[in-house]
């Protein structure tokens, strides 16, 4: 079955700097890669997603890249702000809607 | 739409007791997922349904765990008997899932504490 690995587990950056979170997946059939943000005590919420027919997607300060050959995908947050502090999860889903999550990255943005 | 609704929000129970968690997915969504979140293991997929049918329950940890979806608007996750190591936040999520993977919308979660 699918296995998603996520790094780093913790990331601390200065406000205004960029943050990068990387994930790898094992199932070559995976075709959908969402990223979720979970604030303390709240539910995970989708922030951006990418499908396997696209190599890169951007939404304001957030961008995701996907390398299908290497089976890895990344989240990039530019000009980080304190409100970006949260736990971020990558995920991968193959046919059949089974979404497997990475272990999460706790991002701290220092003001 | 109020989103995915879970109940109860918090549950404290004694070891050995039966626990039932409830979920109402978003109307029109035909895929439903149960996840368990702990510090040690992160977000684990326990089971998911498509059109009310269990598709994959390989993530269910033991026979003590069972899940049902009697209709499109209701699902339950039951633990019997409960153990302290079952303490976690349990999330239900739903998605449209019509032929392709789409965003999963999460409920607020049920924080379960087994003492």
């Amino acid at each position: 079955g699918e296995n998603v690995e996520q790094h780093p587990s913790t990331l601390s950056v200065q406000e205004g700097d960029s943050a990068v979170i990387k994930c790898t997946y094992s199932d070559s059939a995976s075709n959908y890669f969402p990223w979720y943000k979970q604030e303390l005590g709240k539910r995970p919420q989708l922030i951006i997603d990418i499908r396997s027919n696209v190599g890169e997607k951007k939404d304001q300060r957030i961008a995701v890249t996907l390398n299908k050959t290497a089976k890895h995908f990344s989240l990039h947050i530019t000009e980080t702000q304190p409100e970006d502090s949260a736990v971020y999860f990558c995920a991968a889903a193959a046919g059949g809607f089974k979404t497997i999550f990475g272990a999460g990255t706790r991002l701290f943005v220092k003001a | 739409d109020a989103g995915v609704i879970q109940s109860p929000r918090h549950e404290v129970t004694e070891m050995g007791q039966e626990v039932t968690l409830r979920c109402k997915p978003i109307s029109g969504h035909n895929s439903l997922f149960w996840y368990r979140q702990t510090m040690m293991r992160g977000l684990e997929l326990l089971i998911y349904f498509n059109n009310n049918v269990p598709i994959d329950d390989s993530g269910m940890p033991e026979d003590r765990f069972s899940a049902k979806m009697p209709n499109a608007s209701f699902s339950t996750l039951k633990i019997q008997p409960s153990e302290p190591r079952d303490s976690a936040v349990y999330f239900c999520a739903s998605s449209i899932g019509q032929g392709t993977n789409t965003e999963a919308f999460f409920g607020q979660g049920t924080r379960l504490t087994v003492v």
Side-chain angles (χ1 to χ4, degrees):
Chain A
E2 177 65 277
N3 181 47
V4 178
E5 296 197 355
Q6 183 171 349
H7 300 279
S9 57
T10 306
L11 180 58
S12 184
V13 300
Q14 203 68 36
E15 182 179 2
D17 288 350
S18 294
V20 180
I21 302 170
K22 297 182 179 181
C23 291
T24 61
Y25 62 99
S26 61
D27 188 349
S28 57
S30 288
N31 57 15
Y32 176 63
F33 307 90
W35 287 86
Y36 287 79
K37 176 183 180 182
Q38 186 178 28
E39 295 177 352
L40 188 63
K42 297 191 176 179
R43 73 187 90 187
Q45 291 190 289
L46 183 79
I47 54 171
I48 195 168
D49 56 14
I50 191 167
R51 298 191 183 276
S52 58
N53 58 347
V54 175
E56 184 173 354
K57 185 177 179 180
K58 193 172 182 181
D59 182 4
Q60 298 181 354
R61 296 186 296 108
I62 295 173
V64 291
T65 59
L66 171 64
N67 183 328
K68 282 187 62 180
T69 304
K71 293 190 198 146
H72 63 70
F73 54 117
S74 302
L75 175 72
H76 304 250
I77 307 174
T78 58
E79 300 171 30
T80 53
Q81 300 166 3
E83 51 265 38
D84 294 330
S85 297
V87 179
Y88 291 81
F89 292 94
C90 64
F97 324 115
K98 185 173 179 176
T99 302
I100 301 300
F101 284 81
T105 296
R106 189 172 297 275
L107 174 64
F108 297 95
V109 180
K110 297 175 285 187
Chain B
D1 198 319
V4 176
I5 299 173
Q6 291 186 245
S7 64
R9 291 291 308 278
H10 303 273
E11 176 81 31
V12 180
T13 191
E14 291 186 345
M15 182 173 65
Q17 296 297 307
E18 177 180 296
V19 175
T20 299
L21 312 181
R22 297 174 176 79
C23 175
K24 182 181 187 305
I26 293 173
S27 177
H29 283 193
N30 56 12
S31 292
L32 183 140
F33 310 85
W34 282 101
Y35 286 92
R36 177 173 68 176
Q37 186 174 35
T38 60
M39 287 295 293
M40 293 297 294
R41 294 204 200 83
L43 268 169
E44 299 174 277
L45 177 63
L46 301 178
I47 185 171
Y48 75 101
F49 297 82
N50 188 245
N51 293 323
N52 313 339
V53 176
I55 303 300
D56 188 335
D57 65 354
S58 59
M60 296 286 260
E62 300 168 37
D63 291 345
R64 298 184 296 107
F65 286 69
S66 63
K68 293 181 181 179
M69 193 165 184
N71 56 60
S73 58
F74 184 65
S75 177
T76 59
L77 177 67
K78 187 177 292 187
I79 308 173
Q80 165 64 20
S82 57
E83 296 183 5
R85 59 195 168 115
D86 301 331
S87 298
V89 178
Y90 290 81
F91 285 103
C92 174
S94 71
S95 69
I96 293 177
Q98 287 178 343
T100 186
N101 293 300
T102 56
E103 175 183 0
F105 292 82
F106 282 77
Q108 295 272 37
T110 295
R111 182 174 295 277
L112 173 65
T113 304
V114 183
V115 297

